[in-house]
Amino acid sequence: NAGVTQTPKFQVLKTGQSMTLQCAQDMNHNSMYWYRQDPGMGLRLIYYSASEGTTDKGEVPNGYNVSRLNKREFSLRLESAAPSQTSVYFCASSALGNTEAFFGQGTRLTVV
Amino acid sequence: AQSVTQLDSHVSVSEGTPVLLRCNYSSSYSPSLFWYVQHPNKGLQLLLKYTSAATLVKGINGFEAEFKKSETSFHLTKPSAHMSDAAEYFCVVSDRGTYKYIFGTGTRLKVLA
């Protein structure tokens, strides 16, 4: 049972480079999320997709874009990476907003 | 608007003594509340959840939490700490229909031998 799968697990970028973080879930969940985790700040919501075909900004969307490719997949794109985007990124999915979210193992991104 | 406040950023207990991790929330509607645990360099695992059934919720590994609407609290407890409980714990709130999960800033639990 894979659950939520994120790729890659680690990435180092130079300032100004672009990249896409991939996320896929196999639980037939409607909602998917991208968070970033920074020390002392908990997890902050970047973007979410309540259902296939919709996306909305979260708390810290600047510098990011997302695509809900289909019900299974939700990608996060950094168009021009900045050192402030060094973080651990988590993808999550849930059946409904009031049930629990399931998280991937995270992507550790370093921008130099 | 939803928000979560975890009252302690660090908690230290001795092995075998009780654990109390405090969480207060703010929510416009009937909230769902969760506690997640994160061990070092790992993902997040659900400990327990409150979704409007019993106010005393039991979770995995002997943890439990009580939803107190009058105090807007959802504190996490365990009668006897184990070394393996050392981790970071997150309190999370979700309002029905908003589809968003709002995290507290986390409490790092240290268990002393």
Side-chain angles (χ1 to χ4, degrees):
Chain A
N1 220 2
V4 179
T5 303
Q6 291 181 234
T7 54
K9 289 186 169 49
F10 300 93
Q11 183 72 50
V12 178
L13 288 179
K14 293 182 179 178
T15 298
Q17 285 185 318
S18 63
M19 79 161 295
T20 300
L21 280 63
Q22 306 286 354
C23 176
Q25 52 93 6
D26 62 3
M27 295 173 282
N28 200 35
H29 285 167
N30 288 317
S31 302
M32 297 187 73
Y33 310 83
W34 277 105
Y35 288 87
R36 61 177 288 172
Q37 183 178 22
D38 302 291
M41 304 187 78
L43 276 74
R44 293 180 293 167
L45 183 63
I46 304 171
Y47 271 93
Y48 66 104
S49 171
S51 60
E52 188 179 356
T54 69
T55 60
D56 285 287
K57 295 178 181 179
E59 190 182 348
V60 288
N62 291 344
Y64 305 96
N65 286 300
V66 290
S67 295
R68 183 75 183 266
L69 303 169
N70 47 55
K71 193 171 186 179
R72 290 187 64 248
E73 298 172 287
F74 188 39
S75 64
L76 178 72
R77 183 161 178 84
L78 288 70
E79 290 291 353
S80 179
S84 60
Q85 295 178 304
T86 293
S87 188
V88 181
Y89 291 84
F90 286 97
C91 178
S93 69
S94 70
L96 292 169
N98 59 325
T99 61
E100 68 265 35
F102 293 81
F103 287 82
Q105 288 300 299
T107 296
R108 187 172 296 274
L109 175 67
T110 302
V111 183
V112 297
Chain B
Q2 306 157 270
S3 67
V4 175
T5 301
Q6 291 185 242
L7 297 161
D8 306 292
S9 58
H10 293 82
V11 170
S12 291
V13 300
S14 297
E15 190 174 23
T17 64
V19 175
L20 170 64
L21 305 183
R22 298 182 295 163
C23 172
N24 286 101
Y25 71 91
S26 172
S27 173
S28 304
Y29 305 101
S30 297
S32 294
L33 291 156
F34 311 87
W35 277 98
Y36 283 83
V37 61
Q38 184 180 34
H39 290 276
N41 299 313
K42 299 290 187 184
L44 289 98
Q45 180 184 18
L46 180 70
L47 273 180
L48 50 79
K49 62 182 178 181
Y50 166 77
T51 55
S52 84
T55 56
L56 182 61
V57 180
K58 294 188 185 299
I60 61 172
N61 299 334
F63 284 95
E64 63 180 39
E66 186 171 7
F67 173 70
K68 292 187 176 180
K69 187 174 181 179
S70 61
E71 299 176 11
T72 60
S73 69
F74 190 58
H75 301 334
L76 182 70
T77 60
K78 183 173 180 178
S80 176
H82 191 272
M83 296 298 288
S84 61
D85 294 329
E88 189 154 25
Y89 293 79
F90 293 98
C91 183
V92 181
V93 65
S94 175
D95 274 329
R96 284 152 217 228
T98 64
Y99 303 104
K100 294 190 288 187
Y101 298 84
I102 304 301
F103 279 71
T105 52
T107 298
R108 187 166 297 277
L109 176 65
K110 187 174 182 179
V111 182
L112 307 170

